[in-house]
Short mmCIF file of all heavy atoms in Angstrom, two decimals:
data_model
loop_
_atom_site.label_atom_id
_atom_site.label_comp_id
_atom_site.label_asym_id
_atom_site.label_seq_id
_atom_site.Cartn_x
_atom_site.Cartn_y
_atom_site.Cartn_z
N SER A 33 9.99 -2.41 -2.59
CA SER A 33 10.24 -1.94 -3.95
C SER A 33 8.83 -1.67 -4.48
O SER A 33 7.80 -2.21 -4.10
CB SER A 33 10.75 -3.06 -4.72
OG SER A 33 9.98 -4.09 -4.93
N LYS A 34 8.82 -0.76 -5.41
CA LYS A 34 7.59 -0.35 -6.12
C LYS A 34 6.84 -1.75 -6.84
O LYS A 34 5.70 -1.92 -6.84
CB LYS A 34 7.83 0.70 -7.14
CG LYS A 34 8.11 2.04 -6.66
CD LYS A 34 8.13 3.13 -7.70
CE LYS A 34 8.30 4.51 -7.05
NZ LYS A 34 8.44 5.55 -7.99
N GLU A 35 7.72 -2.44 -7.33
CA GLU A 35 7.29 -3.70 -8.10
C GLU A 35 6.66 -4.60 -7.10
O GLU A 35 5.48 -5.18 -7.38
CB GLU A 35 8.41 -4.45 -8.74
CG GLU A 35 7.92 -5.60 -9.55
CD GLU A 35 9.06 -6.42 -10.08
OE1 GLU A 35 10.27 -6.10 -9.82
OE2 GLU A 35 8.80 -7.39 -10.95
N PHE A 36 7.22 -4.76 -5.98
CA PHE A 36 6.67 -5.59 -4.89
C PHE A 36 5.34 -5.20 -4.32
O PHE A 36 4.26 -5.79 -4.39
CB PHE A 36 7.67 -5.80 -3.74
CG PHE A 36 7.11 -6.51 -2.45
CD1 PHE A 36 6.95 -7.94 -2.68
CD2 PHE A 36 6.82 -5.93 -1.32
CE1 PHE A 36 6.32 -8.61 -1.59
CE2 PHE A 36 6.41 -6.67 -0.27
CZ PHE A 36 6.13 -8.04 -0.42
N LEU A 37 5.21 -3.82 -3.98
CA LEU A 37 4.01 -3.33 -3.55
C LEU A 37 2.86 -3.16 -4.54
O LEU A 37 1.71 -3.49 -4.19
CB LEU A 37 4.33 -1.93 -2.85
CG LEU A 37 5.28 -1.88 -1.68
CD1 LEU A 37 5.68 -0.49 -1.36
CD2 LEU A 37 4.61 -2.66 -0.51
N ASN A 38 3.32 -2.82 -5.79
CA ASN A 38 2.18 -2.82 -6.78
C ASN A 38 1.76 -4.22 -7.06
O ASN A 38 0.55 -4.48 -7.36
CB ASN A 38 2.85 -2.14 -7.99
CG ASN A 38 2.85 -0.61 -7.90
OD1 ASN A 38 2.17 -0.01 -7.23
ND2 ASN A 38 3.81 -0.14 -8.62
N THR A 39 2.62 -5.26 -6.96
CA THR A 39 2.16 -6.61 -7.16
C THR A 39 1.11 -6.91 -6.02
O THR A 39 0.12 -7.74 -6.34
CB THR A 39 3.43 -7.57 -7.11
OG1 THR A 39 4.26 -7.32 -8.28
CG2 THR A 39 2.89 -9.00 -7.15
N LEU A 40 1.32 -6.52 -4.90
CA LEU A 40 0.48 -6.92 -3.74
C LEU A 40 -0.93 -6.23 -4.03
O LEU A 40 -1.99 -6.85 -3.70
CB LEU A 40 0.98 -6.38 -2.42
CG LEU A 40 2.33 -7.10 -1.83
CD1 LEU A 40 2.60 -6.50 -0.61
CD2 LEU A 40 2.07 -8.47 -1.91
N GLN A 41 -0.89 -5.02 -4.62
CA GLN A 41 -2.12 -4.33 -4.83
C GLN A 41 -2.85 -5.25 -6.00
O GLN A 41 -4.09 -5.37 -5.87
CB GLN A 41 -1.83 -3.00 -5.45
CG GLN A 41 -3.07 -2.09 -6.00
CD GLN A 41 -3.66 -1.29 -4.82
OE1 GLN A 41 -3.05 -0.33 -4.36
NE2 GLN A 41 -4.83 -1.68 -4.24
N GLU A 42 -2.14 -5.54 -7.06
CA GLU A 42 -2.76 -6.44 -8.14
C GLU A 42 -3.35 -7.76 -7.45
O GLU A 42 -4.45 -8.18 -7.88
CB GLU A 42 -1.68 -6.70 -9.10
CG GLU A 42 -1.36 -5.51 -9.92
CD GLU A 42 -0.02 -5.68 -10.75
OE1 GLU A 42 0.41 -6.91 -10.86
OE2 GLU A 42 0.37 -4.84 -11.43
N ILE A 43 -2.53 -8.39 -6.67
CA ILE A 43 -2.92 -9.75 -6.06
C ILE A 43 -4.19 -9.56 -5.31
O ILE A 43 -5.19 -10.39 -5.38
CB ILE A 43 -1.93 -10.34 -5.27
CG1 ILE A 43 -0.74 -10.79 -6.01
CG2 ILE A 43 -2.45 -11.47 -4.35
CD1 ILE A 43 0.44 -11.32 -5.31
N ALA A 44 -4.33 -8.45 -4.44
CA ALA A 44 -5.37 -8.17 -3.63
C ALA A 44 -6.76 -8.00 -4.65
O ALA A 44 -7.74 -8.57 -4.29
CB ALA A 44 -5.32 -6.95 -2.77
N THR A 45 -6.51 -7.37 -5.66
CA THR A 45 -7.66 -7.13 -6.64
C THR A 45 -8.16 -8.47 -7.23
O THR A 45 -9.26 -8.77 -7.36
CB THR A 45 -7.30 -6.08 -7.75
OG1 THR A 45 -7.01 -4.83 -7.03
CG2 THR A 45 -8.41 -5.80 -8.73
N GLN A 46 -7.22 -9.12 -7.73
CA GLN A 46 -7.45 -10.46 -8.41
C GLN A 46 -8.07 -11.38 -7.52
O GLN A 46 -9.05 -12.08 -7.75
CB GLN A 46 -6.08 -10.98 -8.99
CG GLN A 46 -5.56 -10.19 -10.06
CD GLN A 46 -4.04 -10.66 -10.43
OE1 GLN A 46 -3.53 -11.60 -9.85
NE2 GLN A 46 -3.45 -10.01 -11.39
N GLN A 47 -7.62 -11.40 -6.21
CA GLN A 47 -8.11 -12.44 -5.30
C GLN A 47 -9.31 -12.03 -4.55
O GLN A 47 -9.93 -12.77 -3.55
CB GLN A 47 -7.06 -12.80 -4.23
CG GLN A 47 -5.75 -13.49 -4.80
CD GLN A 47 -6.02 -14.99 -5.16
OE1 GLN A 47 -6.65 -15.51 -4.57
NE2 GLN A 47 -5.43 -15.33 -6.32
N LYS A 48 -9.73 -10.77 -4.79
CA LYS A 48 -10.90 -10.19 -4.06
C LYS A 48 -10.53 -10.25 -2.57
O LYS A 48 -11.45 -10.51 -1.65
CB LYS A 48 -12.13 -10.76 -4.46
CG LYS A 48 -12.63 -10.64 -5.85
CD LYS A 48 -14.01 -11.18 -6.10
CE LYS A 48 -14.33 -11.00 -7.55
NZ LYS A 48 -15.66 -11.66 -7.91
N ALA A 49 -9.42 -9.79 -2.19
CA ALA A 49 -8.94 -9.73 -0.78
C ALA A 49 -8.78 -8.33 -0.41
O ALA A 49 -8.67 -7.37 -1.29
CB ALA A 49 -7.61 -10.53 -0.62
N LEU A 50 -8.69 -7.99 0.83
CA LEU A 50 -8.49 -6.67 1.18
C LEU A 50 -6.99 -6.36 1.37
O LEU A 50 -6.20 -7.12 2.03
CB LEU A 50 -9.19 -6.25 2.55
CG LEU A 50 -10.66 -6.44 2.58
CD1 LEU A 50 -11.28 -5.76 3.85
CD2 LEU A 50 -11.28 -5.71 1.35
N LEU A 51 -6.35 -5.20 0.85
CA LEU A 51 -5.06 -4.76 1.08
C LEU A 51 -5.08 -3.84 2.41
O LEU A 51 -5.64 -2.84 2.38
CB LEU A 51 -4.57 -3.99 -0.16
CG LEU A 51 -3.14 -3.42 -0.02
CD1 LEU A 51 -2.10 -4.53 0.23
CD2 LEU A 51 -2.75 -2.66 -1.34
N ILE A 52 -4.36 -4.35 3.35
CA ILE A 52 -4.23 -3.46 4.68
C ILE A 52 -2.83 -3.12 4.62
O ILE A 52 -1.90 -3.75 4.74
CB ILE A 52 -4.59 -4.32 5.81
CG1 ILE A 52 -6.03 -5.08 5.76
CG2 ILE A 52 -4.47 -3.57 7.08
CD1 ILE A 52 -6.24 -6.02 6.81
N ILE A 53 -2.71 -1.70 4.64
CA ILE A 53 -1.30 -1.15 4.88
C ILE A 53 -1.26 -0.64 6.14
O ILE A 53 -1.94 0.21 6.71
CB ILE A 53 -1.11 0.12 3.81
CG1 ILE A 53 -1.44 -0.43 2.31
CG2 ILE A 53 0.18 0.83 4.09
CD1 ILE A 53 -0.18 -1.15 1.77
N ASP A 54 -0.17 -1.15 6.82
CA ASP A 54 0.21 -0.82 8.27
C ASP A 54 1.08 0.38 8.24
O ASP A 54 2.22 0.34 7.84
CB ASP A 54 0.77 -1.92 8.95
CG ASP A 54 1.16 -1.60 10.49
OD1 ASP A 54 1.12 -0.40 10.81
OD2 ASP A 54 1.46 -2.57 11.15
N GLU A 55 0.52 1.56 8.58
CA GLU A 55 1.20 2.79 8.57
C GLU A 55 1.46 3.38 10.02
O GLU A 55 1.74 4.57 10.24
CB GLU A 55 0.44 3.96 7.72
CG GLU A 55 0.50 3.66 6.21
CD GLU A 55 1.50 4.58 5.58
OE1 GLU A 55 2.54 4.92 6.15
OE2 GLU A 55 1.26 4.85 4.28
N VAL A 56 1.55 2.46 11.08
CA VAL A 56 1.63 2.89 12.42
C VAL A 56 3.16 3.57 12.54
O VAL A 56 3.20 4.65 13.14
CB VAL A 56 1.70 1.70 13.34
CG1 VAL A 56 2.04 1.99 14.73
CG2 VAL A 56 0.04 1.22 13.38
N MET A 57 4.00 3.03 11.89
CA MET A 57 5.28 3.67 11.90
C MET A 57 5.48 4.54 10.78
O MET A 57 6.17 5.72 10.93
CB MET A 57 6.55 2.63 11.90
CG MET A 57 6.81 1.99 13.17
SD MET A 57 8.23 0.85 13.08
CE MET A 57 8.30 0.42 14.69
N THR A 58 5.21 4.28 9.52
CA THR A 58 5.57 4.87 8.30
C THR A 58 4.81 6.13 7.97
O THR A 58 5.16 6.83 7.00
CB THR A 58 5.50 3.90 7.17
OG1 THR A 58 4.33 3.30 6.96
CG2 THR A 58 6.56 2.79 7.42
N SER A 59 3.59 6.37 8.57
CA SER A 59 2.84 7.53 8.13
C SER A 59 3.57 8.87 8.32
O SER A 59 3.25 9.90 7.72
CB SER A 59 1.47 7.51 8.82
OG SER A 59 1.79 7.59 10.29
N ARG A 60 4.59 8.82 9.21
CA ARG A 60 5.39 10.11 9.46
C ARG A 60 6.37 10.34 8.33
O ARG A 60 7.02 11.34 8.24
CB ARG A 60 6.19 9.85 10.79
CG ARG A 60 7.18 8.77 10.58
CD ARG A 60 8.10 8.37 11.84
NE ARG A 60 7.96 9.01 13.06
CZ ARG A 60 9.05 9.68 13.44
NH1 ARG A 60 10.22 9.76 12.77
NH2 ARG A 60 9.15 10.31 14.61
N LEU A 61 6.51 9.34 7.45
CA LEU A 61 7.40 9.46 6.33
C LEU A 61 6.88 10.06 5.08
O LEU A 61 7.71 10.44 4.08
CB LEU A 61 7.95 8.09 5.90
CG LEU A 61 8.68 7.40 7.02
CD1 LEU A 61 9.17 5.99 6.54
CD2 LEU A 61 9.84 8.11 7.58
N ALA A 62 5.62 10.53 5.05
CA ALA A 62 5.02 11.33 3.97
C ALA A 62 3.75 12.02 4.59
O ALA A 62 3.23 11.35 5.47
CB ALA A 62 4.70 10.40 2.84
N TYR A 63 3.45 13.21 4.15
CA TYR A 63 2.45 13.95 4.90
C TYR A 63 1.01 13.18 4.82
O TYR A 63 0.32 13.21 5.77
CB TYR A 63 2.31 15.29 4.12
CG TYR A 63 1.37 16.16 4.99
CD1 TYR A 63 1.86 16.74 6.15
CD2 TYR A 63 0.21 16.64 4.53
CE1 TYR A 63 1.03 17.57 6.89
CE2 TYR A 63 -0.59 17.46 5.34
CZ TYR A 63 -0.11 17.97 6.44
OH TYR A 63 -1.02 18.77 7.25
N ASN A 64 0.83 12.47 3.73
CA ASN A 64 -0.47 11.70 3.64
C ASN A 64 -0.24 10.27 3.82
O ASN A 64 -1.15 9.42 3.36
CB ASN A 64 -1.18 12.03 2.31
CG ASN A 64 -1.55 13.49 2.27
OD1 ASN A 64 -2.24 13.92 3.08
ND2 ASN A 64 -1.18 14.11 1.23
N GLY A 65 0.92 9.88 4.28
CA GLY A 65 1.14 8.46 4.51
C GLY A 65 2.13 7.89 3.45
O GLY A 65 2.05 8.34 2.16
N LEU A 66 3.00 7.00 3.74
CA LEU A 66 4.08 6.63 2.83
C LEU A 66 3.41 5.95 1.58
O LEU A 66 4.00 5.86 0.60
CB LEU A 66 5.13 5.75 3.57
CG LEU A 66 6.44 5.35 2.62
CD1 LEU A 66 7.11 6.52 2.26
CD2 LEU A 66 7.21 4.47 3.45
N HIS A 67 2.36 5.15 1.78
CA HIS A 67 1.64 4.44 0.64
C HIS A 67 1.27 5.31 -0.46
O HIS A 67 1.26 4.92 -1.66
CB HIS A 67 0.47 3.70 1.19
CG HIS A 67 -0.72 4.43 1.58
ND1 HIS A 67 -0.98 5.07 2.71
CD2 HIS A 67 -1.78 4.89 0.77
CE1 HIS A 67 -2.15 5.80 2.76
NE2 HIS A 67 -2.69 5.60 1.55
N THR A 68 0.98 6.66 -0.16
CA THR A 68 0.48 7.58 -1.24
C THR A 68 1.78 7.96 -2.19
O THR A 68 1.48 8.23 -3.41
CB THR A 68 0.08 8.91 -0.65
OG1 THR A 68 1.18 9.62 0.11
CG2 THR A 68 -1.01 8.72 0.26
N THR A 69 2.93 7.78 -1.72
CA THR A 69 4.07 8.01 -2.68
C THR A 69 4.29 6.86 -3.64
O THR A 69 4.95 7.01 -4.69
CB THR A 69 5.42 8.15 -1.84
OG1 THR A 69 5.73 6.86 -1.26
CG2 THR A 69 5.27 9.27 -0.79
N TYR A 70 3.63 5.69 -3.37
CA TYR A 70 3.69 4.68 -4.40
C TYR A 70 2.35 4.57 -5.27
O TYR A 70 2.20 3.77 -6.18
CB TYR A 70 3.77 3.33 -3.66
CG TYR A 70 5.18 3.09 -3.01
CD1 TYR A 70 5.60 3.71 -1.81
CD2 TYR A 70 6.01 2.21 -3.72
CE1 TYR A 70 6.79 3.46 -1.29
CE2 TYR A 70 7.31 2.01 -3.16
CZ TYR A 70 7.70 2.51 -1.93
OH TYR A 70 8.84 2.40 -1.45
N GLY A 71 1.34 5.45 -4.95
CA GLY A 71 0.14 5.38 -5.64
C GLY A 71 -0.76 4.20 -5.30
O GLY A 71 -1.58 3.95 -6.14
N LEU A 72 -0.39 3.69 -4.04
CA LEU A 72 -1.24 2.59 -3.63
C LEU A 72 -2.59 3.08 -3.09
O LEU A 72 -2.77 4.10 -2.69
CB LEU A 72 -0.57 1.74 -2.52
CG LEU A 72 0.86 1.18 -2.90
CD1 LEU A 72 1.52 0.73 -1.59
CD2 LEU A 72 0.68 0.03 -3.85
N LYS A 73 -3.67 2.16 -3.22
CA LYS A 73 -4.92 2.48 -2.83
C LYS A 73 -5.41 1.36 -1.85
O LYS A 73 -6.20 0.46 -2.26
CB LYS A 73 -5.89 2.61 -3.99
CG LYS A 73 -5.65 3.79 -4.80
CD LYS A 73 -6.61 4.09 -5.90
CE LYS A 73 -6.23 5.24 -6.77
NZ LYS A 73 -7.25 5.46 -7.83
N PRO A 74 -5.04 1.32 -0.75
CA PRO A 74 -5.30 0.32 0.31
C PRO A 74 -6.88 0.33 0.65
O PRO A 74 -7.47 1.39 0.50
CB PRO A 74 -4.53 0.55 1.56
CG PRO A 74 -4.23 2.01 1.45
CD PRO A 74 -4.04 2.26 -0.09
N ASP A 75 -7.33 -0.94 1.12
CA ASP A 75 -8.69 -0.92 1.48
C ASP A 75 -8.82 -0.37 2.91
O ASP A 75 -9.87 0.15 3.32
CB ASP A 75 -9.24 -2.33 1.28
CG ASP A 75 -9.15 -2.85 -0.12
OD1 ASP A 75 -9.96 -2.25 -0.82
OD2 ASP A 75 -8.36 -3.68 -0.43
N ILE A 76 -7.71 -0.76 3.86
CA ILE A 76 -7.80 -0.44 5.12
C ILE A 76 -6.31 0.18 5.44
O ILE A 76 -5.35 -0.38 5.07
CB ILE A 76 -8.15 -1.47 6.08
CG1 ILE A 76 -9.58 -2.01 5.74
CG2 ILE A 76 -8.01 -0.92 7.58
CD1 ILE A 76 -9.91 -3.02 6.67
#
């Protein structure tokens, strides 16, 4: 869900942790990767 994924982005920022998005399967679901449809900005 957008709320869940955006929460992970916020937690990573607050905790100074890295947000790693695994797009091994899902990058085929959007031309620039599925995470871009959520406006996420992963570190890796």
Side-chain angles (χ1 to χ4, degrees):
S33 70
K34 287 187 177 181
E35 183 186 9
F36 174 69
L37 295 169
N38 287 330
T39 296
L40 297 185
Q41 181 90 71
E42 294 169 3
I43 290 174
T45 301
Q46 294 166 359
Q47 297 286 324
K48 295 183 179 179
L50 298 192
L51 178 61
I52 304 173
I53 300 291
D54 183 345
E55 289 261 24
V56 169
M57 283 190 178
T58 58
S59 57
R60 67 185 350 247
L61 300 178
Y63 191 70
N64 295 308
L66 189 57
H67 73 273
T68 61
T69 65
Y70 287 81
L72 298 172
K73 294 183 178 180
D75 300 292
I76 299 178

